[in-house]
Amino acid sequence: HTHTHTNDTMDFGKLKEEAEFDWDAMEEDGVMDEEEEEEEDTGMDQAEDAIAEEDEDGAGPATGGQDMYLPGQPMDEGEELVCDPTAYVVQTEFAPEWPCLSIDIVADGLGSTRSQVPMTAYFVAGTQAPQLDANKLTVLKVSNMKGGATENDSDDSDDEEDEEGNAGPKLLHQSIRHRGGVNRVRMAPQPGHIAATWADTGHVYIWDLSQHVAGIDDVSARAKMPRKPLSSWDGHKEEGFAMDWSPVSAYRLATGDCAGHLHIWEKHEGSSWVPNAKPLIGHAGSLEDLQWSPNEPTVLASCSVDKTVKIWDLRKGGRVAFTVPAHDADVNVISWNRLEQHLVASGGDDGAFKIWDLRMFGGGGAVQPVASFKWHSGPVTAIQWHPTDPSVLVVAGADDQLTLWDLAVEVDEMVDDTRPTPEVPPQLLFIHQGQRNIKDARWHPQIPGMVVSTAENGFNLFKTISI
């Protein structure tokens, strides 16, 4: 299934050597002072330079009088696609040295529901470098983000305000060495900046990134940044991609591998995590994604290349409670609605995403989705419900589209549909393009409507005028 495996997706040959990894071999990779940081992470430094050049290039050409383009439409010779900057409140893009399969949002202390422009966001990403020892886990801070349609643009501001207001986005980062490519990274929702990573070596690592977050702005914190993970484990039968922290039971972690094995991790005294020795087995193929229940500490959902979505209950000895044949192909991703807690969304290799009502599970007979959409022309690679709007979700696919949907929108059958493109579902709010081979997309829970995404050609951070 080429939507996940690194060798097929990113065209990088994974090194097979399992040489002893020396976490302390290169101190500057783990703890860098200002001089060392200039020498290390040159790829990310180049990204910092590139992101600063956005101020010189501007937000992009105006699109007045031009036609709207939909993916798949033919283009005449000489035609060129241009972005309409007025469709975005903020929009920033940049590329690291190596592609990243996975990202997650890092919580900050800047406010819980921010809407003022310019904006600042923290996130974490893990690389897919061609050499085993060249990979890193990086915490990034992108500040001074603006877009084409902001209320901060003013022609009559004084010179000092104009110089500061027109500055481009600013990128800062701190990195830690990571043994092997990062298949998945997820931040624990509890305080403390605890992260878990799935490595393509088959190891699972748990990290304390609190000093790396602090070290972005505080030079004195960089000397305290740890170079080693809090915990590591190589007990999975194969490498994997599925990983999720429980939002209910503090620091409880679930991980699933390509052999279909599921392990539950519990935090013990101190800073150690221990997984259950005996795996939970229920899928007939690779376990692709996991989601804990937003309100039940012992219930979680999984999806697999066996085309099913399963609900597990740890109170029943870790057995599968319900199984639903969900898609006509591999099921790649799932998302459990945090607000409407009976709804789970799934996305598959068939390009479809579906909405499932858990209240219909176990009632006898075939379970049908309450909604199904087949807009994407390639496998769905990421899906997530909006953290504060229960009807909105983001969907990303291998067709280079990132789409925003509002399932509360209904078709008005009393009105003639005279739209120039009636084949577009009314629930489809926005199509974001420009990234190749999108791998992960996450809503920012503290900036309603902001999406951070990663793809083969880099990161995008944006907030549209639609949400």
Side-chain angles (χ1 to χ4, degrees):
H1 45 295
T2 59
H3 61 282
T4 51
H5 284 296
T6 308
N7 292 357
D8 297 329
T9 302
M10 298 300 184
D11 293 327
F12 291 141
K14 188 181 74 176
L15 297 184
K16 300 299 183 182
E17 294 82 353
E18 292 295 329
E20 182 68 24
F21 190 73
D22 186 357
W23 297 100
D24 299 311
M26 296 179 63
E27 181 176 349
E28 61 268 26
D29 278 346
V31 181
M32 296 180 287
D33 60 28
E34 290 181 325
E35 293 182 359
E36 290 172 326
E37 191 169 8
E38 293 179 0
E39 299 176 2
E40 286 294 313
D41 279 351
T42 56
M44 198 62 72
D45 292 337
Q46 292 169 1
E48 291 180 5
D49 295 338
I51 200 173
E53 291 174 2
E54 288 189 16
D55 180 44
E56 301 177 7
D57 296 338
T63 57
Q66 298 184 359
D67 295 329
M68 180 183 68
Y69 171 80
L70 289 175
Q73 289 181 337
M75 294 178 59
D76 295 333
E77 184 177 354
E79 281 190 320
E80 181 181 356
L81 294 179
V82 294
C83 173
D84 180 3
T86 63
Y88 295 88
V89 179
V90 296
Q91 181 188 16
T92 297
E93 59 184 59
F94 61 98
E97 181 180 12
W98 302 112
C100 298
L101 278 179
S102 183
I103 55 172
D104 204 6
I105 306 301
V106 175
D108 58 55
L110 302 179
S112 58
T113 53
R114 311 197 292 270
S115 60
Q116 185 176 357
V117 177
M119 294 180 173
T120 297
Y122 292 76
F123 68 100
V124 62
T127 63
Q128 287 283 322
Q131 291 83 29
L132 183 76
D133 294 358
N135 286 285
K136 296 179 182 180
L137 185 64
T138 301
V139 178
L140 305 99
K141 174 188 178 182
V142 187
S143 59
N144 203 42
M145 290 185 287
K146 298 185 295 181
T150 71
E151 297 179 358
N152 286 3
D153 295 335
S154 175
D155 294 334
D156 54 4
S157 60
D158 58 42
D159 291 341
E160 182 177 352
E161 290 178 344
D162 187 64
E163 181 179 354
E164 176 67 21
N166 285 339
K170 184 178 180 181
L171 171 64
L172 298 173
H173 70 281
Q174 289 295 328
S175 296
I176 187 169
R177 297 181 69 210
H178 190 278
R179 182 176 186 251
V182 180
N183 291 346
R184 187 70 53 90
V185 56
R186 289 293 181 258
M187 298 294 301
Q190 292 80 22
H193 293 132
I194 300 298
T197 57
W198 243 124
D200 62 8
T201 60
H203 290 70
V204 175
Y205 298 110
I206 296 178
W207 309 82
D208 181 355
L209 298 181
S210 56
Q211 294 300 324
H212 298 80
V213 176
I216 288 179
D217 296 306
D218 182 3
V219 175
S220 63
R222 298 176 188 176
K224 305 175 185 177
M225 294 191 303
R227 295 191 294 269
K228 299 179 182 180
L230 294 174
S231 294
S232 64
W233 191 60
D234 62 355
H236 269 284
K237 189 174 181 180
E238 297 181 19
E239 68 171 302
F241 298 83
M243 172 178 284
D244 194 40
W245 293 95
S246 171
V248 180
S249 185
Y251 303 110
R252 174 176 285 175
L253 177 69
T255 57
D257 61 33
C258 293
H261 291 186
L262 168 62
H263 287 272
I264 308 298
W265 301 55
E266 303 288 354
K267 186 177 185 297
H268 288 226
E269 293 184 4
S271 298
S272 64
W273 275 258
V274 178
N276 58 321
K278 185 178 180 180
L280 308 181
I281 300 176
H283 282 291
S286 176
L287 201 163
E288 296 292 274
D289 201 7
L290 288 164
Q291 283 278 279
W292 284 99
S293 164
N295 61 338
E296 294 284 350
T298 61
V299 178
L300 69 161
S302 64
C303 65
S304 168
V305 300
D306 64 11
K307 307 178 185 179
T308 69
V309 170
K310 295 181 183 292
I311 306 298
W312 306 70
D313 191 341
L314 303 184
R315 293 170 297 188
K316 297 182 178 181
R319 295 191 303 270
V320 175
F322 305 108
T323 298
V324 175
H327 289 257
D328 295 329
D330 301 0
V331 188
N332 302 328
V333 287
I334 52 175
S335 179
W336 202 316
N337 197 311
R338 297 305 195 227
L339 302 175
E340 298 289 344
Q341 298 169 347
H342 58 280
L343 296 179
V344 171
S346 64
D349 262 5
D350 51 8
F353 75 90
K354 301 181 181 183
I355 311 301
W356 305 92
D357 188 338
L358 299 181
R359 297 172 299 185
M360 301 172 63
F361 286 22
V367 178
Q368 299 297 324
V370 295
S372 180
F373 297 89
K374 179 66 172 67
W375 173 263
H376 286 269
S377 60
V380 172
T381 56
I383 192 167
Q384 189 185 30
W385 291 101
H386 193 286
T388 59
D389 191 329
S391 63
V392 173
L393 54 121
V394 58
V395 182
D399 57 354
D400 304 338
Q401 295 185 65
L402 191 152
T403 54
L404 306 182
W405 301 76
D406 187 351
L407 304 187
V409 176
E410 298 181 357
V411 178
D412 190 345
E413 297 180 355
M414 300 299 293
V415 178
D416 290 335
D417 195 346
T418 57
R419 294 173 298 158
T421 54
E423 71 276 9
V424 178
Q427 296 86 356
L428 177 55
L429 299 182
F430 199 90
I431 303 173
H432 176 79
Q433 294 184 274
Q435 290 182 286
R436 296 190 309 271
N437 206 2
I438 305 170
K439 288 300 172 186
D440 206 357
R442 310 289 288 173
W443 293 105
H444 197 302
Q446 297 176 261
I447 309 177
M450 173 171 279
V451 176
V452 182
S453 58
T454 184
E456 186 176 322
N457 58 330
F459 306 118
N460 277 197
L461 298 89
F462 66 91
K463 174 179 169 62
T464 76
I465 60 175
S466 301
I467 299 177

